[in-house]
Amino acid sequence: MGTTTGRRERLRAETTAEIKKVALGLMSSGGPDAITLRAIAREMGMTANAIYGYFATRDDLVTTLISDVYTSLADAVDAARDARPADDPAGRIAAWANAFRDWALTNPEGFRLIYGDPVPGYQAPETSAAPEAEHRVCAGLTGLAAGAWPHAKELYPEAEFEWSDFDPKLAAEVREEFPGLPPAAVAIALRIWGHLHGLVSLEIYGHMRVQTPRPDKIYRAELAQLIRGLGLPA
Amino acid sequence: MGTTTGRRERLRAETTAEIKKVALGLMSSGGPDAITLRAIAREMGMTANAIYGYFATRDDLVTTLISDVYTSLADAVDAARDARPADDPAGRIAAWANAFRDWALTNPEGFRLIYGDPVPGYQAPETSAAPEAEHRVCAGLTGLAAGAWPHAKELYPEAEFEWSDFDPKLAAEVREEFPGLPPAAVAIALRIWGHLHGLVSLEIYGHMRVQTPRPDKIYRAELAQLIRGLGLPA
DNA sequence: ATTAAAACTTCACGCCGTATAGTCGCCGCA
DNA sequence: TGCGGCGACTATACGGCGTGAAGTTTTAAT
């Protein structure tokens, strides 16, 4: 029966999943630095070298983890955004942004893994470690900008950007999903990404709390100004 | 002669300086991960343990480096800002922001050292690694916000923030240097910090270039909107 | 010249990633 | 039922890391 070869594959998949699970556990308890092949193996009752049967190198494992974690972030923000109706662009933006910060505060080590120097000596592959998830995040943000664009277009100069200013794949997807949307809206999306990423990043890495005990208040003010700056009703 | 005791101290200071210089050199050529006691010692023709006569631990050395590098960043942005006259708040903001990004692009490893996970296993001291320099950066930003406040105050709700929302030292300094400035202006400064930090950080860590070949254009648009959002004339 | 301290080396330990070679058990096939 | 092969795993080893303990050399002060 073909199930026998299926069995091996299943065992293999289970072990792979356990490696990743243990690695994520180590990360959340001891930070990304705690992701070591030896520690994972110890926890699993194996030898470190056994892991090489599943991942060619430690960086390979880390890249996979980044992709998984980034996907979970993308899922979280997408879900929060889609819980609001499409005719409430301000609410969708606020939901997305709050989900982003909440996810980061809940998974600070994951945030560092995705956006920081993930692990000692890690070299990211040429193409980004999680291009697909990062792409989803940007596309989702552009969707938010698209929802706000009818209000925002009066406030922004359209002429400054061209489609060639963006990654071809991103541009193509946006033009297909939101026909008529100008490239300037994608620029807005990237700028919003930068704003939110910056505030959350400073908070996660401890730079914000030195200046203010209420980073949440700063973030809320940011949201209010963001929505106002897009010409949306509160 | 008293110069004899002075000689020892001078040699000691020179060696300390050389350790830091070599460490910074390793960092700029091989990234923060390349800062290892053994590599520094190798470069200096010493043993790794000799460094323990100058720094209690590797983390101590890294903390000192962070402080030095952060100070050089603070110097750069302060100088750029002060090159513009006080009666040109928009120009001062633009100068500060451009100096910030330029410094980061020139010293990407320094940026990672300051704002990222500096080095494998590094544990920041309880109080921030470079509180003085970080303070200067925030105070400088608040100065920019103060310059813009006469124009911006119409656009922002003042009531949302109180002085107790900020670090007492920061608040005290701001209140002394800019009497009459409301706490809302400090919130604006922190938000601007977040915006610029986020865009630069995404660029430095390679997330922005995956989405756009022209991060400079995004940054320029950010600046324009920032100045416009503060009610300043371009 | 003597002495005490500072600067530096040597050796050792336990981590790490990973390359190489070898062992064991399960699979399909005769 | 026996057997060959292959995949999963272990054993051993190398060089790198931070760092502690102990010993040696250099230097300044008496």
Side-chain angles (χ1 to χ4, degrees):
Chain A
M1 297 291 290
T3 54
T4 42
T5 85
R7 190 179 101 91
R8 272 246 270 261
E9 280 166 20
R10 203 192 60 233
L11 284 179
R12 188 178 177 75
E14 277 170 12
T15 307
T16 306
E18 191 186 352
I19 291 172
K20 296 204 280 185
K21 205 188 71 193
V22 170
L24 290 174
L26 286 168
M27 180 185 79
S28 61
S29 65
D33 289 354
I35 305 176
T36 69
L37 298 184
R38 292 180 127 104
I40 295 168
R42 226 175 287 136
E43 196 114 343
M44 292 178 66
M46 295 194 342
T47 315
N49 274 355
I51 299 179
Y52 284 94
Y54 300 88
F55 297 93
T57 148
R58 186 205 53 157
D59 280 11
D60 260 34
L61 168 58
V62 171
T63 299
T64 303
L65 293 178
I66 290 177
S67 182
D68 286 3
V69 172
Y70 213 149
T71 299
S72 104
L73 165 60
D75 289 345
V77 292
D78 279 2
R81 178 201 56 192
D82 293 339
R84 298 293 193 103
D87 62 1
D88 176 17
R92 281 164 73 87
I93 291 174
W96 193 100
N98 282 320
F100 181 69
R101 177 165 177 269
D102 290 345
W103 184 94
L105 290 179
T106 308
N107 310 282
E109 306 302 356
F111 188 89
R112 294 162 103 101
L113 185 75
I114 295 176
Y115 289 114
D117 300 295
V119 124
Y122 176 77
Q123 282 286 31
E126 324 136 3
T127 163
S128 157
E132 193 260 338
E134 190 146 80
H135 198 64
R136 260 179 69 199
V137 167
C138 280
L141 266 171
T142 304
L144 293 175
W149 185 250
H151 303 83
K153 66 179 162 195
E154 324 270 336
L155 306 170
Y156 287 84
E158 258 188 63
E160 280 174 11
F161 286 94
E162 306 162 20
W163 287 113
S164 63
D165 289 331
F166 303 100
D167 171 72
K169 213 169 127 197
L170 176 64
E173 181 176 321
V174 168
R175 297 179 79 169
E176 185 185 356
E177 194 172 349
F178 307 101
L181 193 71
V186 183
I188 292 177
L190 292 183
R191 283 184 40 234
I192 294 174
W193 188 29
H195 294 185
L196 304 181
H197 170 79
L199 287 165
V200 170
S201 175
L202 288 174
E203 183 172 358
I204 293 289
Y205 282 92
H207 300 285
M208 190 59 88
R209 281 189 194 277
V210 175
Q211 315 301 329
T212 169
R214 298 295 306 277
D216 59 318
K217 232 172 154 176
I218 302 285
Y219 198 75
R220 212 175 326 126
E222 169 65 25
L223 271 191
Q225 287 299 319
L226 169 59
I227 287 165
R228 190 178 140 281
L230 288 169
L232 296 173
Chain B
M1 298 291 290
T3 54
T4 43
T5 85
R7 191 179 104 89
R8 267 246 273 258
E9 281 167 19
R10 203 192 60 232
L11 284 178
R12 190 180 172 74
E14 276 170 12
T15 306
T16 306
E18 190 186 351
I19 291 172
K20 296 204 281 184
K21 204 188 73 191
V22 169
L24 290 173
L26 286 168
M27 180 185 79
S28 61
S29 64
D33 289 353
I35 305 177
T36 69
L37 297 185
R38 291 180 129 105
I40 295 168
R42 226 176 288 135
E43 196 114 343
M44 292 177 66
M46 293 191 346
T47 319
N49 276 0
I51 299 179
Y52 283 92
Y54 301 88
F55 297 92
T57 122
R58 187 206 51 159
D59 280 11
D60 259 35
L61 168 59
V62 171
T63 300
T64 303
L65 293 178
I66 290 176
S67 182
D68 286 4
V69 172
Y70 214 148
T71 299
S72 102
L73 166 60
D75 288 346
V77 293
D78 278 4
R81 179 202 55 189
D82 293 340
R84 297 294 192 103
D87 63 0
D88 177 16
R92 281 163 73 86
I93 290 173
W96 193 100
N98 283 319
F100 181 69
R101 176 166 177 268
D102 290 345
W103 184 93
L105 290 179
T106 309
N107 309 284
E109 307 301 356
F111 188 90
R112 293 162 103 101
L113 185 74
I114 295 176
Y115 290 115
D117 301 294
V119 124
Y122 176 77
Q123 281 285 34
E126 325 136 3
T127 162
S128 156
E132 193 260 339
E134 191 148 81
H135 199 64
R136 260 180 70 200
V137 167
C138 280
L141 265 172
T142 305
L144 293 175
W149 184 250
H151 302 82
K153 66 179 163 195
E154 323 270 339
L155 305 171
Y156 288 84
E158 260 188 61
E160 281 175 12
F161 286 93
E162 306 161 21
W163 287 113
S164 63
D165 290 332
F166 304 100
D167 170 71
K169 212 169 126 197
L170 177 64
E173 180 175 323
V174 167
R175 297 178 79 170
E176 186 185 355
E177 196 173 349
F178 307 102
L181 193 71
V186 183
I188 292 177
L190 291 183
R191 282 184 40 233
I192 294 175
W193 188 30
H195 294 185
L196 303 182
H197 171 79
L199 287 166
V200 170
S201 176
L202 287 174
E203 183 173 357
I204 294 289
Y205 282 93
H207 300 285
M208 189 58 88
R209 280 187 193 277
V210 175
Q211 314 300 330
T212 167
R214 298 294 306 277
D216 60 317
K217 233 171 155 176
I218 302 285
Y219 198 75
R220 213 175 326 127
E222 169 65 25
L223 272 192
Q225 288 299 319
L226 170 58
I227 288 166
R228 190 178 140 280
L230 289 169
L232 296 173

